[in-house]
Amino acid sequence: MKKLTIIPRDKRFLVASAALSLTFVCGCGSDLTHTMAQTTSEDAQSDVAGEVGSIGAEEEADTLTGESARDGKVDFDTLRALNDDIFGWIYISDGTIDAPILQNAEDDKFYMTHNSLGAPDHSGAVFTEFPGRLDFCEFNEVIYGVDGEFLRSYMDPDFFENNSVIEIYKDGDKMTYEVVMARKWPKEDLLTHYAFSVDYDCRNFLRDTYDSVSLSDNVDPRYKLLTDMNFLVTLVTDLPEDPENQFMVIAMLADTENGTIDYPQGDIQWIED
């Protein structure tokens, strides 16, 4: 098996799994050009802050679309025919979470109260908000609507350790993320508080979340090594017993099947294993 190792010349690097280190021409502080997709987005702010609907954790697949990532594939042509807002798919814990990811161009809160087919539904759907990118080529892609009971299970250290893999699919690629932090956080809209296209705000997010950890938070040692060159997803849910705060599960990109890898400031080496 080949491993792709990137040796940065300016000491910027991507912490990933032991098997892979990679990065893209996009992310924090970039000019937001990319070769993975042609989707673009503009800067904007919204006020979604944790209180969202959630897809049922007991479901083995998305019953509305009939699709599942259990076989490692997602048919985005069929999904877009059902709802053009579907741009991704999330799969966690052997299908406990197995659902489309959506973004509505006109209303960030739309999928708080509508299902993945766009019909009114108090359970909502899994979604991101503008200006989150539709290609996941973002320093931190914030995702709402994943089942809250499931996400709050990451408070348990054993669950945190044994359910660390998050798979996210987009048209033409599959990304694997590894959970590196699960913690309580003040109820604020992360995309309003942090501009994840600006390098110092990316660093501020990493510093703020790490420096304020408590004994009740679960943190992988690798979190301390993350930089603004990493790619993260943050799953956000509410805390019913603590309305002043929300709960975040943060995962780092560890692998991508087909994403274009381009690190012009480093030397790329293939290492035979």
Side-chain angles (χ1 to χ4, degrees):
M1 181 182 70
K2 288 185 175 181
K3 299 178 182 178
L4 178 63
T5 300
I6 297 172
I7 305 173
R9 292 180 183 147
D10 61 356
K11 297 184 180 180
R12 294 186 297 176
F13 60 94
L14 174 72
V15 177
S17 67
L20 185 68
S21 182
L22 51 88
T23 190
F24 303 98
V25 184
C26 53
C28 190
S30 73
D31 60 2
L32 297 187
T33 60
H34 57 92
T35 54
M36 294 170 59
Q38 297 303 315
T39 304
T40 61
S41 68
E42 301 173 355
D43 291 332
Q45 291 184 342
S46 60
D47 56 0
V48 178
E51 289 187 6
V52 299
S54 57
I55 191 164
E58 73 279 1
E59 297 178 0
E60 292 186 354
D62 184 68
T63 57
L64 293 174
T65 65
E67 184 61 88
S68 171
R70 188 175 294 277
D71 61 355
K73 301 177 182 178
V74 176
D75 184 350
F76 281 97
D77 289 336
T78 298
L79 290 173
R80 280 192 294 264
L82 295 172
N83 186 346
D84 195 46
D85 284 346
I86 298 175
F87 70 95
W89 195 277
I90 186 168
Y91 186 84
I92 315 175
S93 191
D94 295 325
T96 302
I97 302 299
D98 191 8
I101 307 173
L102 304 96
Q103 185 180 110
N104 186 278
E106 298 179 358
D107 182 2
D108 280 332
K109 298 181 180 180
F110 184 81
Y111 288 107
M112 292 174 66
T113 56
H114 293 74
N115 62 31
S116 56
L117 297 183
D121 188 334
H122 72 278
S123 295
V126 179
F127 67 97
T128 65
E129 59 178 20
F130 191 80
R133 295 176 58 135
L134 303 183
D135 57 5
F136 292 93
C137 199
E138 178 79 85
F139 167 74
N140 188 13
E141 191 76 45
V142 182
I143 300 175
Y144 299 93
V146 176
D147 183 75
E149 183 178 357
F150 174 83
L151 288 184
R152 290 187 289 272
S153 297
Y154 282 93
M155 294 179 181
D156 178 75
D158 290 334
F159 190 92
F160 177 85
E161 181 177 355
N162 295 322
N163 295 270
S164 62
V165 176
I166 297 175
E167 295 176 359
I168 292 182
Y169 296 77
K170 66 175 186 177
D171 197 3
D173 207 357
K174 169 187 173 183
M175 291 84 69
T176 301
Y177 296 79
E178 296 179 3
V179 176
V180 288
M181 178 178 283
R183 61 160 301 165
K184 183 188 298 186
W185 189 254
K187 184 172 284 186
E188 62 186 11
D189 182 3
L190 293 176
L191 292 181
T192 298
H193 197 74
Y194 299 97
F196 290 127
S197 61
V198 179
D199 53 3
Y200 63 80
D201 258 3
C202 301
R203 293 192 294 268
N204 286 343
F205 176 77
L206 292 172
R207 183 198 64 220
D208 294 346
T209 51
Y210 186 79
D211 288 352
S212 60
V213 293
S214 68
L215 293 176
S216 62
D217 299 326
N218 289 315
V219 184
D220 187 293
R222 292 173 295 175
Y223 197 86
K224 186 178 181 179
L225 302 177
L226 296 178
T227 76
D228 57 4
M229 295 296 290
N230 281 93
F231 294 86
L232 311 177
V233 293
T234 297
L235 313 183
V236 179
T237 191
D238 63 335
L239 289 167
E241 304 302 321
D242 187 359
E244 299 299 315
N245 291 290
Q246 58 191 342
F247 190 72
M248 304 190 306
V249 175
I250 304 173
M252 68 178 189
L253 180 65
D255 194 5
T256 177
E257 284 190 351
N258 301 313
T260 299
I261 299 171
D262 193 342
Y263 197 78
Q265 296 163 333
D267 296 323
I268 298 177
Q269 298 181 356
W270 287 102
I271 300 175
E272 293 290 346
D273 191 39

